[in-house]
Each structure stands twice: as C-alpha cells, then as structure tokens.
Amino acid sequence: MNALLRSSLRLIDRLSPPEPVSAHCDIPCGIYDPHLAQIAAQTVVRMHQLIGDLERPGPDASKAEFDKYANSLSRYIAVKEEHAELCKQEVRIIWADYFKPEHLSDHPELHTNVWNILKLGSKVRQNVDMQAAEELLAAVQTFAEAFWASKGASTTRGPSRQAVGGESVYPA
Amino acid sequence: MLRRIRALLPFDRFEVEGESMTPTLSAGERVFVNKAAYWFSRPQCGDIVVVRDPRDTDRLLLKRIDRPADGGWLVLGDNPDASTDSRTFGPVTRKLIVGKVWFGY
C-alpha cells in the first residue's frame, strides 16, 4: 500500500471519521459453554433435596423455630427460582447464538430438547417437583453432549463431585 | 453536511469492528469501499462487501460473498466461529449491498 495514500486517508479519517462496519457475531466473543447451564440445573436439583430434607416444625414449635424453618424454605425457593431461570437463559443463548442450521443434521433432536428444557425450567419454578428437576438436569446434560459433539469434542459422563451427587457431562 | 456529501460519493471509508473477517481484515483496520462497484456488474463470489444487516438495516456488516442464492447473495465471515452471517439471516438482496471493499489501510 502506498504510504502517501495511506497517510492521506488517515488524515481524512480524522476530519471525517469512518463509519463502523461490524465484522462480528452478535456478541463478538465466540465463547460458549454449557457448563453454566449444567451448574444451574444441578443447583435446582440440590434445592429440591434441601427442601425435601427440611424438617417441618411441629404444632407446638416456638416462633423462633418456625421463623428458622420459613427462612430456610424461602431461601431454597429463591435460589431454585433464580437458577431455573439462569439455566433457561444459558441454554437459550447457546441455542440461539451458537447453534446454526447446519448443526441440525447431526442433532435433529436439538429443538425438541431445548423446548423441553425451557418448559421444565418453568415447571420447577411453579412447583416443588423433584422429578421435573431431575428431568431438567438430564435434558441439560444431553444438551451439553450435543454442544461438545458439534465442536468435534467427545464427552464423558462422570461423577459430579458436587453435594447434589449424580453424574455430569464433561468434554474429554 | 459532510454526511450528505459522503452519501453521494461513489466511495466511502469504514472502520472494522470485530473479528469475523480475521485474518483478512482485523478490528481497527480501515477499508476503502467502492459503492459504484455493482452499478454495472454483479457481485462476484469472493468479493468482500459492506452489507446492511437484513434484521436491522441501520447496521453495517463486513462479509464475503459466498454464492448467489434465491433472493440475493449468501455472505459469510472469513472466521466462521466469530461471525453472524447468512447462516443466521439468510441471503442479502442487491439493495442491501453497500459496496465492495477495494483495499484496507
């Protein structure tokens, strides 16, 4: 490139700045990871476990005992709400921004699985429903497998090593 | 005023944002664009073009013509992992193609 032309153009740019032209994706990072969705789904299952384990105060419980119970229950429910929504959000982002039509030939079940995740994500907020929470986690693990497979990475299922127990999907 | 004059000129300058055209053109580089390039000829496969985003025509995108398609041309980024392009928004019509990149500077 002619140096004179280049410096003249740069000078013109100073007087009249060039318009930006985007050469990027909607978020210009290209960084996606289903791990956040997996953790959120595990958290939803864990909150169900804690809610199940929480002992209900008896009829002659003191106010302090009742308050303690109500406080714990409220906190578990709040975290369950938050993480169910987080799980839906993370899955939606990967589904909408990362996956492209050409991935569908290898993962024809993708849309149905995402749809199930979004439905189950709402169901576990509306109810205390351990079965739905476990189905949500299972669907998110399947989603994670599809994600890594689309990147050409194989996955393994191993122990989650979290308080919630169970298995999780990891890229190999 | 300057903007009006610029709109009438058959060429314009743009600043690249993002990495979807890496390694060909990187963020921060400027490109000199010929807006008259397709007045008398059709876009050719491989041309680097400035196109309006069909989902939001105020937004300008830098892509490469892949091939003609029903309703226009398919445009792709050179770096597919960091590009939102015709794989997402489909073909772009001739009207949405602003011009052809002549050179970067």
Side-chain angles (χ1 to χ4, degrees), chain A residues 65-77:
Chain A
E65 282 169 330
F66 179 79
D67 286 352
K68 185 168 180 285
Y69 166 80
N71 185 60
S72 295
L73 183 60
S74 309
R75 294 186 69 205
Y76 299 155
I77 293 170

Side-chain angles (χ1 to χ4, degrees), chain A residues 13 16-17 19 21-23, chain B residues 6 13 17 20 30 60 62 105:
Chain A
D13 284 353
S16 160
E19 219 179 314
V21 59
S22 300
Chain B
R6 270 172 72 169
R13 293 156 290 119
E17 282 181 350
S20 90
R30 313 280 166 86
L60 297 169
L62 186 66
Y105 64 95

Side-chain angles (χ1 to χ4, degrees), chain B residues 19-98:
Chain B
E19 299 296 340
S20 90
M21 289 303 285
T22 305
T24 321
L25 291 163
S26 305
E29 273 189 82
R30 313 280 166 86
V31 288
F32 196 84
V33 170
N34 177 3
K35 294 196 289 185
Y38 304 127
W39 288 359
F40 304 107
S41 65
R42 294 158 58 83
Q44 301 297 307
C45 302
D47 287 357
I48 301 178
V49 289
V50 172
V51 296
R52 295 192 178 279
D53 188 332
R55 301 166 302 174
D56 170 10
T57 53
D58 285 339
R59 189 161 177 253
L60 297 169
L61 308 173
L62 186 66
K63 301 290 164 195
R64 193 186 286 277
I65 301 275
D66 184 50
R67 58 192 153 92
D70 265 355
W73 281 268
L74 296 181
V75 294
L76 298 176
D78 283 1
N79 180 9
D81 281 348
S83 178
T84 301
D85 45 40
S86 286
R87 293 174 298 173
T88 303
F89 51 67
V92 294
T93 58
R94 169 68 192 82
K95 265 193 191 164
L96 292 177
I97 302 177
V98 174

